[in-house]
Amino acid sequence: MGKSAAMSSAAVTSESWPWPPAMRASAALHVAAIGAGVMVPGAWPWAVGAIVLNHALITGAGLTPRSNLLGPNVTRLPEAAAGRREVAITIDDGPEPEVTSRVLDLLDAHGQRATFFCIAERVLAHPELAREIVARGHSIQNHTARHRHNFSFLGPRGFANEIARAQDILTEVTGQRPTCFRAPAGLRNPFLEPVLHRLGLSLVSWTRRGFDTREGDPAKVMARLARNLQVRDILLLHDGNAARTAEGKPVLLEVLPLLLERLRADGLRAVTLPEGMKL
């Protein structure tokens, strides 16, 4: 499903990509630096330095998951969600049979909804679990086909193949086409946003995260999530690749009941991203 997947999922929108101001400024700087290096005697060292500094800034933006310098990046629900007292719980890297089914039971018991950013190849491995997520009122969104560790180094074709393949798999298995995308670890480069725009996907990061892939202490994970918790927040947890508690239990299963109780006490409602992002 490589090239053909990209072809079948592409062209969701025919509008040209609206270059972000930072990228337009970067392009202008390159033109100006090259022009100065050619036209002004002795300017080449300064021109090269300016270009190197610019590339460092772009790289830094790609390594900062909540940055919007490279294009639109949803870090909180829109203002309209405030009046509805909504937050979004997002759960990455699944589905994971040992964990996800129990997560669904906890969410149901508290009457709350979540968004699962799923790895498409894991959905292929556990299609019934993926369909159960949707059937129980939750949302599955695009977290790439394979969750490649070198994802942020891909070019336009690599991004298109990886993301479009995931779109096709998730749509075929669940019957619902994702509208949101989250990059592995939130890392990316300037080639990603044009691909997302073409596929009709919104990049979504988070307001705060629990670091639950490396922290096995539920109290510490919960403290990070609950600090200044408020309406419109997007919270990040993991059912796949979850750290383990001292007793060997996936930390998400210890943290989620605490978080859901906190939401109840604060009068907050956890909704899926497609619901929460309605204006």
Side-chain angles (χ1 to χ4, degrees):
M1 293 180 66
K3 184 176 180 181
S4 61
M7 296 282 290
S8 63
S9 290
V12 170
T13 175
S14 59
E15 298 177 8
S16 61
W17 178 52
W19 282 67
M23 297 306 297
R24 290 198 297 267
S26 175
L29 183 145
H30 278 71
V31 172
I34 293 172
V38 171
M39 303 296 295
V40 180
W44 267 117
W46 295 98
V48 171
I51 291 173
V52 169
L53 183 61
N54 175 255
H55 280 237
L57 177 64
I58 291 174
T59 300
L63 296 175
T64 306
R66 301 179 71 244
S67 169
N68 60 7
L69 285 178
L70 303 183
N73 186 6
V74 179
T75 60
R76 302 193 72 197
L77 297 179
E79 291 287 349
R84 302 189 296 256
R85 301 289 295 168
E86 292 173 348
V87 299
I89 297 173
T90 62
I91 302 174
D92 286 14
D93 294 359
E96 178 62 50
E98 178 188 0
V99 183
T100 308
S101 294
R102 296 165 73 183
V103 168
L104 294 175
D105 290 341
L106 288 169
L107 291 166
D108 281 356
H110 288 80
Q112 304 281 24
R113 297 291 175 261
T115 298
F116 292 78
F117 278 96
C118 289
I119 300 170
E121 289 191 351
R122 291 194 179 184
V123 166
L124 276 181
H126 309 288
E128 292 302 324
L129 182 53
R131 284 190 279 267
E132 183 182 358
I133 291 172
V134 173
R136 291 170 75 165
H138 308 287
S139 175
I140 286 181
Q141 299 295 329
N142 192 323
H143 198 38
T144 75
R146 290 178 287 166
H147 204 272
R148 296 172 54 159
H149 294 300
N150 67 339
F151 179 82
S152 62
F153 296 101
L154 297 179
R157 180 171 296 183
F159 281 143
N161 287 338
E162 182 77 8
I163 299 168
R165 178 167 178 257
Q167 281 289 90
D168 287 345
I169 291 170
L170 297 177
T171 302
E172 182 177 352
V173 171
T174 69
Q176 296 185 359
R177 192 166 194 82
T179 57
C180 301
F181 173 80
R182 178 171 287 159
L187 307 181
R188 60 201 190 281
N189 67 45
F191 297 116
L192 176 61
E193 178 53 33
V195 173
L196 297 183
H197 179 77
R198 192 165 64 250
L199 294 174
L201 288 165
S202 297
L203 180 67
V204 178
S205 56
W206 52 83
T207 310
R208 57 180 54 81
R209 63 187 303 182
F211 291 97
D212 56 326
T213 56
R214 65 179 190 233
E215 177 56 70
D217 184 339
K220 291 181 179 179
V221 174
M222 180 60 191
R224 294 186 181 111
L225 295 170
R227 189 176 299 120
N228 300 319
L229 180 65
Q230 54 189 302
V231 291
R232 300 177 53 215
D233 280 358
I234 299 173
L235 307 176
L236 170 59
L237 287 160
H238 293 79
D239 54 352
N241 302 313
R244 300 277 172 161
T245 66
E247 294 76 27
K249 188 175 182 180
V251 70
L252 172 62
L253 298 179
E254 295 287 338
V255 172
L256 189 57
L258 302 176
L259 177 60
L260 295 172
E261 180 56 34
R262 171 65 183 270
L263 296 183
R264 186 202 64 78
D266 289 355
L268 299 174
R269 186 166 71 100
V271 297
T272 65
L273 280 173
E275 184 179 359
M277 290 171 67
K278 292 178 181 177
L279 301 178

